Amino acid sequence: MDVDEFRARAREFLAANAPESLGDRAPAEVLREAKRFQAAAYDAGLAGITWPPEFGGQGRTAAEQQAYDAEAAHYDLPSSPFMVGMGMCGPTLLDLGTPEQKARYLPKLLRGDEIWCQLFSEPGAGSDVASLQTRAVRESGGGWVINGQKVWTSGAQWSDFGALLARTDPDVPKHRGITMFIVDMHAPGVTVRPLRDMTGRAPFNEVYFDDVRIPADSVIGEVGGGWLAAVTMLGHERVSIGGTVRRGSDPLSYDNLVELARRRGRAEDPVVRGRLAEIYAQEKALGLFNSRLRQEAEAGSPPGARGSVSKLAGALLLWRAVDTAGLIAGPELAAWEPGDAAAEEMAIAINSTPASSIAGGSNQIQRNIIGERILGLPKEPQVDRDVPFRELKVGTQRPA
Ligand SMILES: Cc1cc2nc3c(=O)[nH]c(=O)nc-3n(C[C@H](O)[C@H](O)[C@H](O)COP(=O)(O)OP(=O)(O)OC[C@H]3O[C@@H](n4cnc5c(N)ncnc54)[C@H](O)[C@@H]3O)c2cc1C
């Protein structure tokens, strides 16, 4: 089947199966529809398009993935419950998981039967995630006991599994004593509490671990090799975030801003047109950059620090789009007629924009990474580099 045939198949499937926009429906209903759609896509051979067939994927090319994405961008698909699993945890398992882990988890993840979350950030460890204090202690039988708290965990409220970073050795410097685990979010001792953001929604959570027991085969990669696993996942995350912010269904996309300008009678205004041209050019450039990263990853060259370019460019573009929406619509963005669903959606998109400069590592952190790892600028001073974690003053920890 060539790319055009594949595109036609995707188009036909989407026309028959894509749900109506779910707008402000209750989260339980969104989740139900999301699972229904994902299972249908999987069964039709349209999930995990570039993933290996032995783990539920289709083993197809990046060009076919792009063809599917281009068709899917015409719909407001309920893909958010699966973004962390498919964009981050799954690719990390593909890179570092054992054959047994891949066979057990990836097909169910791709079909949407099991949802995943990322358990990295803590109240005292965000940008500096290597300062994390959640502990994993090995039991005599080989399993592990987890204690600690995570925060800002997107989608934990509906997740079945999480990729957890925990400290397994406090006697070595902070980056070396961390391990990544698969944790069952329904295990006894896991408590998930919602956190509401300024859109009024509760997309993320606090997650508490109180004596949570997980088996020996839950380790992703090596014991003590959690930093490498974390960097691997963050690389996937940055490409995933950078690559998904500009969907056609996004109220702040070029197409929708043009539509807004037409509705407000501003489409002929030269200043507005200049701004729209700028958004168009940046959106296209970012799309091409992301597709290049995807193709290179497929050819065995992972995104590495270039994921930070994609993530940063996506966040900056979103802010520019918010400015442009303000230029076009003015005060109407903040005060609209009750029942004007398009205006409300735009307000939610605008209120979500600051999160894009924080989630997946803040803009400042992306600039540090680009400076150090791509531009070869001097590294930030790291005074705690060789100090055993136990002796550091981080989070709530104080040296004994
Ligand atoms: C919408 C959203 C979803 C999220 N989802 C998840 C998730 O699913 N799982 C998860 O684990 N985490 C998640 N996070 C957390 C996210 O990764 C952290 O918020 C982020 O890494 C920043 O950490 P922090 O909030 O602790 O801020 P801090 O690290 O305390 O940073 C505060 C400020 O200091 C700046 N700063 C810090 N260090 C430096 C430095 N070295 N140089 C220059 N400036 C610096 C930062 O840029 C920021 O402006 C999510 C966050 C958001 C907003």
Side-chain angles (χ1 to χ4, degrees), residues 81-96:
F82 311 119
M83 275 178 66
V84 174
M86 291 182 195
M88 296 153 56
C89 300
T92 305
L93 277 177
L94 274 175
D95 289 341
L96 301 175

Side-chain angles (χ1 to χ4, degrees), residues 84 118-123 125-128 151-154 204 355 358-365 368 380:
V84 174
Q118 178 206 38
L119 298 151
F120 282 18
S121 304
E122 298 185 3
S127 299
D128 181 17
V151 73
W152 315 126
T153 316
S154 304
F204 43 32
I358 305 171
S362 68
N363 284 5
Q364 289 82 358
I365 294 301
N368 279 352
E380 267 198 285

Side-chain angles (χ1 to χ4, degrees), residues 359-373:
S362 68
N363 284 5
Q364 289 82 358
I365 294 301
Q366 307 310 331
R367 288 190 162 105
N368 279 352
I369 295 170
I370 294 165
E372 291 176 12
R373 291 179 48 202

Side-chain angles (χ1 to χ4, degrees), residues 1-2 4-5 16 59-60 101 113 182 213 223 232 236 239 278 382:
M1 188 186 300
D2 69 12
D4 288 336
E5 283 168 342
R60 293 184 177 277
Q101 287 172 338
D113 294 338
I182 298 168
R213 295 195 142 67
V223 172
T232 303
H236 290 300
V239 175
E278 196 187 306
Q382 264 191 308

